[in-house]
């Protein structure tokens, strides 16, 4: 049984799935239908613990894991994911003030839930984390009526496809979800389906951040460029694409790369982004690989420890860093950065990360 590391914060965690339909936008892969999304939300929950623990990852993400690991030679009946630490649809914490919102966008072909170890931890420290499944690009997305939409996008698509076709759709998805959160917080009749009890009242729309892995990191930067509501972002090992690559940003962006990032040397990743006026913090984590910045860091490491994957396969996938150490570092840097960006600590983001300095976290020079 593969287990998630427990969240480190004081708050219990609730998790829910939110089904949204954008009546104003056709689906670019299915123009005869409106754009339909599944969203996963983690949030600080009440202390009742009356709801069951939710599965680790929604059905589409678990299907993606099973497919990928089978291709890697891991028998499908030799492993299983333990439950998450989030309780399904548990009432949100009431009466303790509003919580900042952190949007999340997964990588190309990935589904919401592949950054659960990060999302649960942030929720346990008083954030509402909202992950968007980008339908027809995610490996598989299952909807409430039982139908599943699979990816229509090759994972080896060139950067031009990512920039010109996928990125605008992802940004539109993210901005629509943010609009729906605002409608829910305002108890508007235009809001989507009801959220778990108290959650709509807990949303602080004045404090919105975003993070994403790979193409989700690209989506984070471009969404910040296009939507001033997103005040701070984190790009987890993603290329800088779209108009933000030339225009830059006027708000803080932490760029946390793997040790052998394929994006080093590309526009936007170098430290001196001439057109950027906001704080830019390019760092890398020694001993990691691209998928280390997802739940693969946890899953692959435990499969290797169980003898189901060789050390060479493990190192190719998630690097040589100790998996628990990698998880701890990622959680610490995400939390410290967003706490500083939203005034929850007494220092600026740059000062906070300087104080937090760890030997595995290196500046990208």
């Amino acid at each position: 049984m593969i287990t998630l590391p427990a969240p480190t914060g004081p708050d219990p965690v609730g998790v829910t799935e939110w089904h949204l339909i954008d009546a104003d936008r056709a689906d670019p892969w299915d123009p005869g239908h409106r754009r339909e999304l599944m969203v996963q939300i983690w949030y600080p929950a009440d202390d009742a613990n009356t709801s069951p623990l939710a599965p680790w990852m929604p059905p589409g993400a678990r299907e993606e894991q099973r497919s990928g690991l089978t291709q890697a030679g891991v028998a499908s009946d030799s492993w299983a994911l333990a439950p998450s630490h989030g309780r399904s649809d548990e009432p949100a914490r009431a009466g303790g003030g509003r919580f900042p919102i952190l949007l999340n966008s997964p990588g190309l072909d990935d589904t919401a839930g592949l950054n659960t170890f990060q999302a649960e931890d942030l929720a346990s420290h008083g954030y509402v984390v909202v992950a968007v499944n980008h339908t027809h690009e995610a490996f598989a997305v299952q909807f409430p009526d039982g139908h599943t939409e699979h990816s229509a996008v090759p994972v080896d698509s060139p950067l031009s496809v990512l920039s010109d076709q996928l990125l605008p759709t992802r940004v539109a998805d993210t901005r629509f979800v943010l609009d729906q959160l605002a409608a829910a917080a305002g108890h508007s009749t235009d809001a989507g389906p009801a959220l778990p009890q108290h959650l709509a009242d807990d949303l602080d729309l004045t404090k919105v951040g975003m993070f994403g892995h790979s193409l989700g990191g690209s989506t984070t930067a471009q969404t910040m460029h296009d939507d001033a509501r997103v005040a701070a972002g984190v790009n987890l090992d993603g290329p800088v694409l779209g108009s933000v690559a030339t225009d830059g940003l006027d708000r803080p962006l932490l760029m946390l790369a793997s040790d052998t990032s394929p994006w080093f040397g590309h526009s936007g990743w170098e430290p001196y982004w001439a057109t950027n006026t906001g704080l830019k913090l390019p760092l890398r984590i020694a001993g990691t690989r691209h998928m280390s910045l997802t739940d693969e860091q946890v899953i692959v490491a435990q499969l290797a420890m169980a003898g189901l994957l060789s050390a060479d396969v493990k190192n190719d996938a998630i690097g040589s860093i100790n998996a628990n150490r990698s998880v701890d570092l990622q959680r610490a840097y995400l939390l410290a950065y967003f706490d500083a960006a939203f005034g929850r600590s007494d220092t600026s983001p740059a000062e906070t990360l300087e104080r937090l300095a760890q030997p595995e976290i290196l500046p990208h020079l």
Side-chain angles (χ1 to χ4, degrees), residues 333 335-337 339-341 345-357:
Y333 272 73
L335 178 62
Y337 170 79
D339 276 354
S345 64
D346 60 359
T347 58
S348 69
E351 293 169 324
T352 296
L353 296 189
E354 185 175 348
R355 289 184 182 182
L356 187 62

Coordinates of all heavy atoms in Angstrom, one line a residue, residues 333 335-337 339-341 345-357:
Y333 N 8.9 25.3 1.1 CA 9.1 26.5 0.2 C 7.8 27.0 -0.3 O 7.6 28.2 -0.4 CB 10.0 26.1 -0.9 CG 11.5 26.4 -0.6 CD1 12.1 25.5 0.3 CD2 12.2 27.4 -1.0 CE1 13.4 25.7 0.7 CE2 13.5 27.7 -0.6 CZ 14.1 26.8 0.2 OH 15.4 27.0 0.6
L335 N 4.8 26.8 1.1 CA 4.1 27.5 2.3 C 4.7 28.8 2.6 O 4.1 29.8 2.8 CB 4.1 26.5 3.5 CG 3.4 27.1 4.7 CD1 1.9 27.4 4.5 CD2 3.5 26.1 5.9
A336 N 6.1 28.8 2.8 CA 6.7 30.0 3.2 C 6.6 31.1 2.1 O 6.3 32.3 2.5 CB 8.2 29.7 3.4
Y337 N 6.6 30.8 0.9 CA 6.5 31.7 -0.2 C 5.1 32.4 -0.2 O 5.0 33.6 -0.2 CB 6.8 31.1 -1.5 CG 6.5 32.0 -2.7 CD1 7.3 33.0 -3.1 CD2 5.3 31.7 -3.4 CE1 7.0 33.8 -4.2 CE2 4.9 32.5 -4.5 CZ 5.8 33.6 -4.9 OH 5.4 34.3 -6.0
D339 N 2.9 32.3 2.2 CA 2.7 33.1 3.5 C 3.2 34.5 3.4 O 2.6 35.5 3.8 CB 3.3 32.3 4.7 CG 2.4 31.2 5.2 OD1 1.3 31.1 4.8 OD2 2.9 30.5 6.1
A340 N 4.4 34.6 2.8 CA 5.1 35.9 2.7 C 4.3 36.8 1.7 O 4.1 37.9 1.9 CB 6.5 35.7 2.3
A341 N 3.9 36.1 0.6 CA 3.2 36.9 -0.5 C 1.9 37.5 0.0 O 1.5 38.5 -0.5 CB 3.0 36.0 -1.7
S345 N 3.4 36.3 7.0 CA 4.7 36.3 7.8 C 5.2 37.7 7.8 O 4.7 38.6 7.1 CB 5.7 35.3 7.1 OG 6.0 35.8 5.8
D346 N 6.3 37.9 8.5 CA 6.7 39.3 8.7 C 7.8 39.7 7.8 O 8.5 40.8 8.0 CB 7.2 39.5 10.2 CG 8.3 38.6 10.6 OD1 8.7 37.8 9.7 OD2 8.8 38.7 11.7
T347 N 8.1 38.9 6.7 CA 9.1 39.3 5.8 C 8.6 39.1 4.3 O 7.6 38.5 4.1 CB 10.4 38.3 5.9 OG1 9.9 37.0 5.7 CG2 11.0 38.5 7.3
S348 N 9.3 39.7 3.4 CA 9.0 39.6 2.0 C 9.3 38.2 1.5 O 10.0 37.4 2.1 CB 9.8 40.6 1.2 OG 11.2 40.2 1.1
P349 N 8.7 37.9 0.3 CA 9.0 36.5 -0.3 C 10.5 36.3 -0.4 O 11.0 35.2 -0.1 CB 8.3 36.5 -1.6 CG 7.1 37.4 -1.4 CD 7.7 38.5 -0.5
A350 N 11.3 37.3 -0.9 CA 12.7 37.1 -1.1 C 13.4 36.9 0.2 O 14.3 36.0 0.3 CB 13.3 38.3 -1.9
E351 N 13.1 37.7 1.2 CA 13.7 37.6 2.5 C 13.3 36.2 3.2 O 14.2 35.6 3.8 CB 13.3 38.7 3.4 CG 13.8 40.1 3.0 CD 13.2 41.2 3.7 OE1 12.0 41.1 4.0 OE2 13.9 42.2 4.0
T352 N 12.1 35.8 3.0 CA 11.6 34.6 3.6 C 12.4 33.4 3.0 O 12.9 32.5 3.8 CB 10.1 34.4 3.3 OG1 9.4 35.4 4.0 CG2 9.7 33.0 3.8
L353 N 12.6 33.3 1.7 CA 13.3 32.2 1.1 C 14.8 32.3 1.4 O 15.4 31.2 1.6 CB 13.1 32.2 -0.4 CG 11.6 32.0 -0.8 CD1 11.5 31.7 -2.3 CD2 10.9 30.8 -0.1
E354 N 15.3 33.5 1.6 CA 16.7 33.6 2.0 C 16.9 33.0 3.4 O 17.9 32.3 3.7 CB 17.2 35.1 1.9 CG 18.6 35.3 2.2 CD 19.1 36.7 2.0 OE1 18.3 37.5 1.5 OE2 20.2 37.0 2.5
R355 N 16.0 33.3 4.3 CA 16.1 32.8 5.7 C 15.9 31.3 5.7 O 16.5 30.6 6.5 CB 15.0 33.4 6.6 CG 15.2 34.9 6.9 CD 14.2 35.4 7.9 NE 14.3 36.8 8.2 CZ 13.5 37.4 9.0 NH1 12.5 36.8 9.6 NH2 13.7 38.7 9.3
L356 N 15.1 30.8 4.8 CA 14.7 29.4 4.7 C 15.8 28.5 4.1 O 15.8 27.3 4.1 CB 13.4 29.2 3.9 CG 12.8 27.8 3.9 CD1 12.4 27.3 5.3 CD2 11.5 27.8 3.0
A357 N 16.8 29.2 3.5 CA 17.8 28.5 2.6 C 18.2 27.1 3.1 O 18.6 26.9 4.3 CB 19.1 29.4 2.5

